[in-house]
Amino acid sequence: TRYCPSFEDKVMRFPHHETHQIYLEPEGAFTDEYYLNGISTSLPPDVQWQMVRSLPGLENATLSRYAYAVEYDFVLPHQLHNSLAVMKWPNLFLAGQINGTTGYEEAGGQGIVAGINAAQLVGGDRSPIVLGRDQAYIGVLIDDLVTKDITEPYRLFTSRAEYRLLLRQDNACRRLSKIGYDIGLLPERHYRQVGELERQLAEARDFLDNTKVSGQSLWRRLRTKELQLDDIDELRGYGAEVCRQLEIEAHYEGYIEQEKNQAKSLQKLTEWKIPSGFGYDMPGLRNESRLKLQRIKPDTLAQAARIDGVTPAEIALLQVHIKRFRETAAAAV
Ligand SMILES: Cc1cc2nc3c(=O)[nH]c(=O)nc-3n(C[C@H](O)[C@H](O)[C@H](O)COP(=O)(O)OP(=O)(O)OC[C@H]3O[C@@H](n4cnc5c(N)ncnc54)[C@H](O)[C@@H]3O)c2cc1C
């Protein structure tokens, strides 16, 4: 595959390379076995012997286990809801490689969502957790899976996220604690710690916004880097985490605000739920878009807008028809 190509794949794809690096990784402290990183292959055993023994230094090496390739089937992920429930069998939740992804984090990230949502379902009338693209990388991953055409094993890269300045490692607690707490996963004492961090941040921010030096607020001076946090005595009492958050927000505020605004306009489309039973046979929709919408069955207009090839004009058209559909349904009650 693209992300873990075999040696024979590499030979075909990169014929212009004259050399190839192979790392000899000891398998452990108490064994003479080495893992040959960079030479994964499914060529026949006799070829593997020749390949390994052709490497300088390995002329007398012995192969204790042959390399092999892994092949697996997967479920077409557009047949899943963004809760990771299978559309056809909504009591069944799938996560990981079976959904067309590859990777540890990809599997783990889906696993926690599928597990939470299975528990939500069993726990009674509780709605599933769906993380937004502006809330978590897991949100980007699952939204891509259920919306985009997955034609090769999917890997989650930071570049797949539109809101990378919002999805930072340093603010993970601030982004996700409430969700974790509300569903009973995050213990109260941890949630309180995050609440206290927010309180201190708001307090410090209030001070910086409202304290002026030569007509300019301290916050503005921090933003333009005329001042450093260390220069402000009143902030000495705050912990390192508060100072770190203040510093990041001051230096990147303009860009962060831009992303928040973009996320807000996406949120508006997210609020446009596509009613079940809504058909896509209206005039004005191109055939290609209609087929994709019918196949993917997006839950919201935001998801519809992210389908490759569906245009903004078609989203506007869908908006009109969803409104009409709702009015007709309401009138029929
Ligand atoms: C050689 C190799 C190297 C890799 N290296 C990396 C790497 O460096 N970094 C990375 O991020 N990813 C790597 N990957 C990919 C990564 O390992 C997988 O994508 C990931 O582990 C998939 O996790 P999963 O939970 O979806 O599936 P799996 O880990 O395959 O788990 C599925 C489980 O279901 C069990 N099972 C199957 N059928 C049944 C059944 N009928 N009843 C009960 N249980 C069943 C299986 O035994 C298995 O334990 C590598 C994969 C391979 C093969």
Side-chain angles (χ1 to χ4, degrees):
T1 67
R2 179 188 296 274
Y3 304 118
C4 202
S6 62
F7 188 75
E8 47 274 29
D9 268 352
K10 289 176 186 167
V11 169
M12 299 307 288
R13 279 166 48 186
F14 312 110
H16 48 286
H17 284 192
E18 287 180 2
T19 59
H20 179 60
Q21 210 157 9
I22 288 163
Y23 295 88
L24 300 185
E25 298 178 351
E27 281 281 1
F30 308 106
T31 167
D32 289 336
E33 283 187 330
Y34 283 79
Y35 176 74
L36 269 63
N37 191 341
I39 197 174
S40 66
T41 178
S42 59
L43 289 169
D46 60 311
V47 181
Q48 293 192 26
W49 277 100
Q50 289 176 45
M51 282 164 73
V52 170
R53 290 199 156 179
S54 72
L55 297 170
L58 300 188
E59 294 83 355
N60 298 316
T62 303
L63 270 64
S64 50
R65 270 164 291 169
Y66 293 112
Y68 60 94
V70 187
E71 213 176 56
Y72 57 92
D73 297 322
F74 71 103
V75 171
L76 296 174
H78 70 258
Q79 297 178 4
L80 302 171
H81 287 294
N82 49 12
S83 63
L84 292 181
V86 178
M87 284 180 178
K88 203 166 173 190
W89 295 290
N91 289 349
L92 177 66
F93 293 80
L94 299 182
Q97 203 163 274
I98 195 166
N99 290 345
T101 61
T102 179
Y104 306 147
E105 292 86 355
E106 288 79 357
Q110 291 171 72
I112 192 165
V113 171
I116 288 171
N117 286 337
Q120 292 284 95
L121 183 78
V122 172
D125 195 15
R126 298 200 299 226
S127 45
I129 293 300
V130 175
L131 298 169
R133 295 181 76 90
D134 57 337
Q135 280 181 308
Y137 274 102
I138 296 178
V140 176
L141 162 73
I142 295 178
D143 186 65
D144 277 353
L145 279 183
V146 301
T147 308
K148 302 233 185 293
D149 283 329
I150 304 295
T151 52
E152 56 181 38
Y154 179 98
R155 281 232 99 156
L156 181 60
F157 303 113
T158 47
S159 58
R160 297 205 194 261
E162 304 81 344
Y163 310 115
R164 290 197 283 283
L165 285 181
L166 304 182
L167 304 184
R168 307 190 310 269
Q169 203 176 2
D170 66 86
N171 68 0
C173 282
R174 298 181 66 195
R175 282 186 278 119
L176 300 171
S177 293
K178 180 160 174 21
I179 300 172
Y181 176 71
D182 285 347
I183 54 174
L185 272 185
L186 188 73
E188 172 117 24
R189 66 197 159 86
H190 290 306
Y191 186 54
R192 278 177 190 273
Q193 281 172 1
V194 181
E196 177 55 18
L197 172 71
E198 293 294 355
R199 191 196 64 74
Q200 291 188 21
L201 274 169
E203 185 183 79
R205 182 62 201 270
D206 190 52
F207 166 75
L208 293 167
D209 277 336
N210 293 309
T211 310
K212 294 209 162 78
V213 175
S214 313
Q216 272 196 339
S217 72
L218 291 178
W219 180 252
R220 189 170 163 73
R221 285 174 178 267
L222 276 177
R223 283 188 61 188
T224 51
K225 298 195 182 173
E226 286 164 65
L227 268 183
Q228 304 297 322
L229 283 178
D230 287 347
D231 302 330
I232 306 171
D233 286 343
E234 287 83 346
L235 295 183
R236 293 259 151 83
Y238 290 103
E241 191 48 37
V242 173
C243 292
R244 187 160 75 127
Q245 291 296 310
L246 285 174
E247 197 158 32
I248 292 171
E249 286 185 1
H251 291 171
Y252 296 98
E253 189 179 44
Y255 300 107
I256 291 175
E257 282 311 310
Q258 228 173 43
E259 284 199 356
K260 279 189 181 159
N261 288 337
Q262 286 167 2
K264 247 188 232 154
S265 35
L266 176 80
Q267 185 57 33
K268 282 197 194 120
L269 281 183
T270 306
E271 282 156 16
W272 279 81
K273 305 269 179 252
I274 301 180
S276 66
F278 180 77
Y280 292 97
D281 41 10
M282 67 280 298
L285 206 59
R286 287 168 318 129
N287 214 21
E288 180 200 344
S289 300
R290 186 190 336 277
L291 291 175
K292 283 190 177 172
L293 287 160
Q294 282 168 340
R295 182 162 57 82
I296 293 171
K297 298 187 191 71
D299 290 323
T300 64
L301 271 189
Q303 194 191 344
R306 285 191 295 275
I307 296 175
D308 293 328
V310 175
T311 64
E314 288 173 321
I315 293 299
L317 180 76
L318 289 177
Q319 241 165 348
V320 173
H321 281 269
I322 289 173
K323 209 163 157 226
R324 221 175 271 166
F325 182 91
R326 283 205 198 116
E327 283 163 4
T328 317
V333 175

